[in-house]
Amino acid sequence: MAAAAIKTAPRLARDFFARPALVVARELLGARLVRIEDGQRLGGLITETEAYSGEEDLGCHCKAGRTPRTRVMYGPPGHAYVYFTYGMHWCLNFVVEVEDYPAAVLLRAIQADEGISVIASRRVGVPSAHWTDGPAKLSRALHLDKAFNGADLCAPDAMLFLEAGAALPDSLVSMSPRVGLNNVPEPWKSNPWRFRVLQNATEALRAG
DNA sequence: AGCACGATTAACT
DNA sequence: GTTAATCGTGCTC
């Protein structure tokens, strides 16, 4: 797809994020993630998210309460929470709900369509279908790391932000348990707080 | 100071 | 299906 065919849309503002994590996670599907690097737009349409909300959610990092790592999740909504895991991976979240209540939406996959040549250079040897189909993969593709932890997504000069997309009907969305919570007790392990755009719908998104 | 584990990925068998 | 890579984080001693 030619870059010229991509239309910019209104940015998602703070009030979009200041809602329950489950609502934000669902509505982010179809929205556009944009990261400005060296004056160039990198990004794509969001196809998979997960919701994490509250200290009582034992799948959430904030089950440990306020710590140096979780500090930004207790801050105001509309900021990035970027954490490091497995000794080598960065994962991007968006802080949601209200200040002093820890909640975030994990970005698990995007359909990249801007800055493709830059993304390709970071994913040498990997088929394009797998460039950004995992939380750590998309962070690597867009060069997102701890430098973005706490970044305000709603600032006028933000280098990382979201743009509104077309609303997706429920028929194109699947809900399932969150990934990677194998040692987390029920019911949090099985709560269907993972949201995905169905495969065939992803193709439709790509076509526009 | 030491330890076990992790909101993952890629490369195996 | 299994497992190594690799180190920050939060917990225990």
Side-chain angles (χ1 to χ4, degrees):
Chain A
M1 181 182 295
I6 296 169
K7 301 166 185 165
T8 59
R11 293 190 188 184
L12 298 182
R14 189 114 29 226
D15 58 358
F16 177 91
F17 299 97
R19 297 182 294 162
L22 286 168
V23 172
V24 177
R26 167 65 178 80
E27 293 197 12
L28 276 175
L29 296 179
R32 172 173 295 279
L33 176 73
V34 181
R35 181 263 204 272
I36 307 293
E37 183 179 34
D38 299 330
Q40 181 181 6
R41 284 171 62 106
L42 311 181
L45 298 175
I46 295 174
T47 56
E48 183 176 345
T49 60
E50 283 178 359
Y52 292 85
S53 181
E55 295 177 353
E56 66 281 0
D57 174 2
L58 296 186
C60 180
H61 289 160
C62 290
K63 67 186 177 188
R66 290 184 192 250
T67 68
R69 179 170 68 156
T70 61
R71 180 179 52 81
V72 298
M73 282 184 71
Y74 287 83
H79 290 246
Y81 165 49
V82 183
Y83 69 87
F84 182 70
T85 192
Y86 291 102
M88 65 192 93
H89 300 304
W90 297 98
C91 295
L92 171 66
N93 298 251
F94 309 124
V95 177
V96 299
E97 306 212 18
V98 299
E99 188 163 5
D100 289 326
Y101 180 87
V105 173
L106 170 67
L107 185 56
R108 290 195 57 89
I110 66 173
Q111 182 73 55
D113 60 11
E114 291 186 88
I116 289 296
S117 62
V118 173
I119 291 172
S121 71
R122 298 202 170 106
R123 309 291 286 133
V124 174
V126 178
S128 62
H130 299 299
W131 283 349
T132 56
D133 64 341
K137 295 184 197 178
L138 74 88
S139 292
R140 178 174 169 183
L142 302 188
H143 196 196
L144 298 169
D145 58 23
K146 66 182 176 185
F148 283 87
N149 191 38
D152 186 357
L153 307 167
C154 306
D157 60 347
M159 291 295 106
L160 180 67
F161 54 87
L162 293 150
E163 291 177 348
L168 287 175
D170 288 343
S171 61
L172 300 183
V173 175
S174 79
M175 297 173 61
S176 56
R178 296 172 293 182
V179 176
L181 305 188
N182 294 324
N183 283 18
V184 171
E186 299 291 358
W188 300 281
K189 178 178 178 179
S190 297
N191 282 343
W193 293 351
R194 177 193 193 191
F195 299 84
R196 272 181 295 174
V197 179
L198 293 175
Q199 189 65 46
N200 55 341
T202 299
E203 291 303 316
L205 276 180
R206 172 185 285 187

